[in-house]
Every structure is written in C-alpha cells, then in structure tokens.
Amino acid sequence: MTYRESGTYRESGTYRESGSNRESSKGAPAGASTVGVIGAGYVGLPTAATLSHFGHRVILAESDPGRFNTLLRGEIPIVERGLLEMVRDGVDRGTLRFVSDATEAARGSDFVFFCVPTPQGVDGSADLSYVEAVAKEVGPVLRSGAIVVNKSTVPVGSASFVERIIGRDDIHVVSNPEFLREGSAVHDSLNPDRIVVGADDQGAAARVGQLFAGTGSPLIVTDTTTSETIKYASNAFLATKVSFINAVAGLCEAVGADVRDVVLGMGYDKRIGFEFLRPGPGWGGSCLPKDTQALVHMAESAGYDFSLLKGAIAGNEEQLDLVVKKAVSSLDDKIEGTTVGVLGLTFKAGTDDRRSSPAVDIARRLVGLGARVQAYDPTVPAFEEADDLAGVRCCADVYEAVAGARVAVVLTEWDEFRWVDFEKVKSAMDRPVVIDARNILDPGAMKRMGFTYVGMGRG
Ligand code: NAD
Ligand code: UGA
C-alpha cells in the first residue's frame, strides 16, 4: 500500500471482497436508477462508488475544485483502502461520472443523496448550512417524483427542514443515515450491518431500500425522526463504549490490573463483545466528537438532560489530558525545550483524516508546553505546514521523528509502528522512553530492549 504518489494520496489493493466479481460491462443494466450524489468526501465518494457498483447510473457532484480535479485526473482525494479501484471501475463501466455543479447531478435523477458536511456549530448543535445550501440549489431543478436522501448526519427534524426549503409537494425527502467507518469504508459500504431508512412515505422508503438490495443487509424502515435518532444514538453509544474502556484502563493503572486481559475476560460475554474496547488517547475524528455534542444539544432543546453522554464527553477530554500528563511526567516535568517524537497524527489508522484528531490535539498541547515536537505519520508528507500542525515538525519517517527525543509517544495505531527497528529507534533517541497511547507494542519486548515503556491501563 502506498500513500504518496505524485503528490496525491493513492492506494493499491482490491475492493472485490463481497461477491463483486461480476463481469465488467459498459453502462447500467435495465431497471437501474439514476442517482445524483452531492459531495465527494469520505461518505459521498464511497456511496457513489457503491451505487455505481450495484449498476446504478451515478452522477457525483463536488464543488471543491481541488477535489473535483483530482477525480477528473482519475485519482481520489482521500486515503481509503480499495476505493480508488472501485471508483475507476465505475468510471470504466460508464456508471459513474463527476460534475462540479450539484444541479447537474440532481436534474433528471431519480434519487439525490446529500453527502455534505454537517460540522459542529458554535453552540454544539449541527450546522445545517451546507444541507440548506444544497436544498436551495437543487430544489428547483429536481424532476417531479424525485427522492431526496439525507445521508449527511443531521438532527431530528432535518427531513422536514429540507422538505420546507425545497417547498414542493411532488418531492419526497427521506433519511438514510450512513454508518461506514473511515479506513474500512469500502467494506462497510458493500457489507453494511444494516440499512436504515426513515420516511413518511412507505413507497419512497421501499425505493431507497431497493437501491441497496445488492448488499443483502437487513433493512429497517421507520419514520424520519426515529431514523435521525438512530444515527446519533449509534455514534453516542460507540463513543461511550470507548470512554468506558478508557476509564477501565485508568482503574487498571490504579489497582495494578492489565486492561488487555480485562477486555479479553469481558469480551467473551457475547452481550459485551470485543469491539470498541481498545483504550487509547481518546476518541476523535470528524464525527464522534461533533455528533455527541450535537446529541447533547438536541436532547437539551427537547428538554432532556443526557447526563450519561455528557460524562462520556468529559471522560474523553480527561483522556487527552492523561496522555499529555504521561509525557510530561516521563520528562520529570521538564518539557520546555525538550524534543518529543510523535508517531501518528491521523485520528485513527487507515485514513488521512486529521479532523478532531486526538493525536493532533496532543501534539499541539505538547507544543504549547514548550516541547519541540517532531512527528511522523504515513499520510503526512515531510515538511507539511498545514494550519492544524502549527509548531509541529513533520518528518519523513519514524527514525527522523524520534531523533534526539527524550520521549516518543505513539498516538495512532498505524501497523507500521509495530514493525520499526526498535534498536535503531533506541540509538536515535536521546533517552529510550516510549509512551504507547494505543497499546500496540509488546511491553515485555520493549523493556528487554532497554526501553522505559508506558502503556494505557497495563498495570
Ligand atoms: P467531507 O467534508 O469529507 O465531504 C463533504 C464534501 O461535500 C466536500 O468535499 C465538499 O466540498 C462537498 N460539498 C459541500 N457542499 C457542496 C455542494 N453544494 N455541492 C457539491 N459538493 C459540496 O465530509 P464527510 O466526512 O463525507 O461527511 C459528510 C456527512 O456524512 C457529514 O454529515 C458526516 O457527519 C456524515 N458521516 C461521515 C462519516 C465519515 O466517516 N466521515 C460517516 C458517516 C456519516
Ligand atoms: C465512526 C463510527 O464508527 C461509524 O459507524 C460512523 O459512521 C462514523 O463515525 C461517522 O458517523 O462518521 P469513524 O469516525 O471512522 O467511524 O471512526 P471509529 O472507528 O468509530 O473511531 C472513532 C474514534 O474512536 C477514533 O479516534 C478511534 O481511534 C477511537 N477508538 C475506536 C478507540 O480509541 N478505541 C476503540 O476501541 C475504537
């Protein structure tokens, strides 16, 4: 897998993992629908590629010139395993094409998917300005009977909100939340655990469900309010689960237990399971942080105090502090002017996404405390000078990042960090101290090599 090729991120690999080895043939089969997808980001691109893979005629609109031109060049603007091949396959078969104008994708389409951002607003609520703008843009050109699908994560009442903006009684607005994870978006899109469709009109719901029939996944049809709630409740549950295990890791440190064995012992209970119980530097990314805040806000607006979720959010803030404290105390509180090596900047492995990344947040806190931070991430070029990385020196590899460092902090669980030459790391460092905020290294092996090893919840 290579992440850097001629200045853009690309991937090799295959997406043919779910019965998708059908013969390539030009054009869409009879009965195929025409689908407009608005927004070619982490959700819109996999959605467009999946629908095109299932034989529908997909027109993907992207207004950002950088992203649009990348697509026109036959590349993709994000790091996502297997997605490039799937996109190229759609283009080659003639079922996927790109436009820069949302109206061009919407006009004449049977379905129009909104996959635009819903960032956090100043008061914590979801900012619907992109959704509103697209609804205003495409509303007048929609063909009669078209179905608008809110795939963006939107709060309760958003289907009605979009309906009001479009202001036409010959159009249906349906909620179809997306549950894919970055890093496994292709797999998740082809094999979703479930398809949720919320609609007031059962016929419209059935038609949207039918688009994804090729996945063979369970279909849950409900009203729009319930569908919108399902999305936020799912992300809030996942965030709470990670906050819970991070708290258990803290408990393990206090009592001298090993969290990995605690998870093993808990996870065999099928009601608990093993998923989402990896302690780390706190949950981040473009969705869990903003969606949990939005749900707290949504609940408050409806007169409900979601104190459990507020606790999970507060616990997550403490987790970020905890990793910084571990780094500072490993330096006997002398961090000013000290070199710290940071391994990983993305919010998780398998993506180039650094939005609300705990790794970036922690690196910047270390910079704020006066440390000289040298970082390496496989998706970040050396000498990168992005705004979110102000004060962080981006390096070409792990060895450069740890050169002269008095502590190295592993913040993203990139597989390659498990396989570095730790003897080389040791000799490059000023002092062999590693804080493994992802618990990806073997403490015994690290100690035998002469490292001071600090993990998360490992006694
Ligand atoms: P993103 O920022 O990666 O992509 C959104 C794209 O929409 C951008 O490329 C932007 O330029 C484009 N866009 C905005 N307005 C447009 C317009 N008028 N016409 C054409 N293009 C336009 O965002 P994302 O991560 O794909 O998230 C989109 C939505 O999906 C959000 O609501 C998010 O919460 C939700 N979601 C995201 C994920 C994820 O893993 N990232 C998973 C599930 C749900
Ligand atoms: C998450 C959800 O998992 C998706 O179902 C959802 O569609 C998506 O948000 C969304 O709405 O955008 P994603 O943001 O890609 O997907 O990332 P996750 O795999 O959920 O991880 C979120 C954060 O939790 C990351 O920072 C990750 O490192 C952390 N995490 C996750 C842990 O620290 N421990 C775990 O065991 C799992």
Side-chain angles (χ1 to χ4, degrees):
M1 200 157 57
T2 59
Y3 290 105
R4 294 186 194 133
E5 251 175 58
S6 28
T8 53
Y9 298 116
R10 287 183 175 208
E11 291 216 24
S12 59
T14 175
Y15 72 91
R16 289 203 154 75
E17 46 182 279
S18 69
S20 47
N21 51 352
R22 89 188 120 78
E23 287 296 304
S24 180
S25 61
K26 208 79 176 154
S33 297
T34 302
V35 185
V37 176
I38 317 298
Y42 291 87
V43 165
L45 201 48
T47 299
T50 300
L51 290 169
S52 137
H53 173 72
F54 289 136
H56 302 294
R57 286 176 296 272
V58 181
I59 308 158
L60 174 58
E62 173 52 57
S63 59
D64 177 81
R67 283 191 162 182
F68 176 63
N69 287 324
T70 301
L71 291 167
L72 286 191
R73 282 199 306 272
E75 295 164 5
I76 57 171
I78 58 173
V79 169
E80 194 56 66
R81 185 157 48 102
L83 186 57
L84 178 65
E85 290 77 3
M86 199 177 178
V87 167
R88 284 184 176 167
D89 189 57
V91 172
D92 289 348
R93 282 188 292 109
T95 55
L96 176 59
R97 66 186 176 91
F98 312 114
V99 296
S100 59
D101 185 344
T103 56
E104 212 181 315
R107 186 180 287 112
S109 284
D110 305 308
F111 301 86
V112 180
F113 279 73
F114 287 9
C115 300
V116 294
T118 47
Q120 190 174 319
V122 278
D123 59 356
S125 65
D127 171 357
L128 290 180
S129 56
Y130 292 92
V131 173
E132 183 177 355
V134 178
K136 282 184 178 152
E137 220 177 324
V138 305
V141 306
L142 291 169
R143 71 160 189 74
S144 188
I147 298 177
V148 167
V149 185
N150 270 344
K151 197 171 246 320
S152 294
T153 301
V154 286
V156 162
S158 296
S160 316
F161 173 71
V162 170
E163 245 161 28
R164 281 197 302 279
I165 292 170
I166 293 176
R168 287 174 52 176
D169 56 15
D170 59 341
I171 302 295
H172 294 292
V173 179
V174 165
S175 158
N176 170 228
E178 179 54 60
F179 301 99
L180 67 77
R181 297 159 298 175
E182 292 181 23
S184 53
V186 169
H187 173 272
D188 294 351
S189 300
L190 292 172
N191 311 278
D193 290 332
R194 76 296 207 188
I195 305 286
V196 174
V197 181
D200 298 333
D201 182 279
Q202 295 302 295
R207 288 182 61 203
V208 173
Q210 193 57 32
L211 282 178
F212 298 98
T215 63
S217 303
L219 172 67
I220 293 132
V221 176
T222 182
D223 57 85
T224 53
T225 302
T226 306
S227 172
E228 290 158 349
T229 304
I230 288 169
K231 175 61 195 174
Y232 281 98
S234 301
N235 274 2
F237 181 78
L238 293 169
T240 305
K241 201 172 178 190
V242 178
S243 280
F244 181 84
I245 204 60
N246 283 339
V248 171
L251 172 75
C252 288
E253 288 180 9
V255 301
D258 186 330
V259 72
R260 286 171 316 159
D261 289 345
V262 171
V263 168
L264 201 62
M266 288 168 65
Y268 277 109
D269 183 330
K270 292 184 187 62
R271 294 168 303 170
I272 298 172
F274 295 105
E275 298 284 322
F276 255 69
L277 289 175
R278 295 186 312 275
W283 39 266
S286 64
C287 292
L288 261 46
K290 75 164 174 69
D291 291 348
T292 46
Q293 291 291 353
L295 185 51
V296 165
H297 186 275
M298 207 190 310
E300 254 156 29
S301 307
Y304 180 74
D305 178 15
F306 208 149
S307 56
L308 177 70
L309 186 55
K310 287 180 187 167
I313 295 169
N316 203 47
E317 280 300 314
E318 286 166 19
Q319 199 67 9
L320 295 169
D321 295 341
L322 175 69
V323 177
V324 174
K325 276 189 200 133
K326 283 185 187 236
V328 173
S329 71
S330 79
L331 295 163
D332 300 323
D333 295 341
K334 296 187 193 83
I335 190 157
E336 187 125 24
T338 302
T339 302
V340 177
V342 160
L343 304 188
L345 289 167
T346 53
F347 81 100
K348 64 191 270 195
T351 179
D352 58 336
D353 200 344
R354 299 198 303 269
R355 290 177 287 181
S356 299
S357 168
V360 171
D361 191 284
I362 290 165
R364 292 193 59 161
R365 287 189 199 199
L366 294 170
V367 170
L369 292 170
R372 278 203 303 265
V373 176
Q374 302 176 163
Y376 168 69
D377 185 285
T379 67
V380 180
F383 309 115
E384 175 75 311
E385 285 188 356
D387 289 347
D388 65 327
L389 298 176
V392 176
R393 192 185 135 216
C394 295
C395 301
D397 59 28
V398 168
Y399 310 106
E400 195 181 313
V402 300
R406 291 179 68 72
V407 60
V409 193
V410 180
L411 292 175
T412 311
E413 73 283 22
W414 287 104
D415 210 33
E416 69 175 78
F417 297 158
R418 299 171 206 265
W419 308 112
V420 295
D421 179 345
F422 280 102
E423 289 299 347
K424 206 168 149 187
V425 167
K426 197 171 124 190
S427 46
M429 291 182 76
D430 188 39
R431 216 176 51 134
V433 179
V434 170
I435 294 170
D436 179 8
R438 292 286 186 170
N439 282 355
I440 58 171
L441 306 175
D442 177 346
M446 294 299 287
K447 283 173 192 159
R448 279 193 297 281
M449 272 187 285
F451 282 91
T452 300
Y453 174 90
V454 181
M456 305 296 282
R458 290 175 143 181

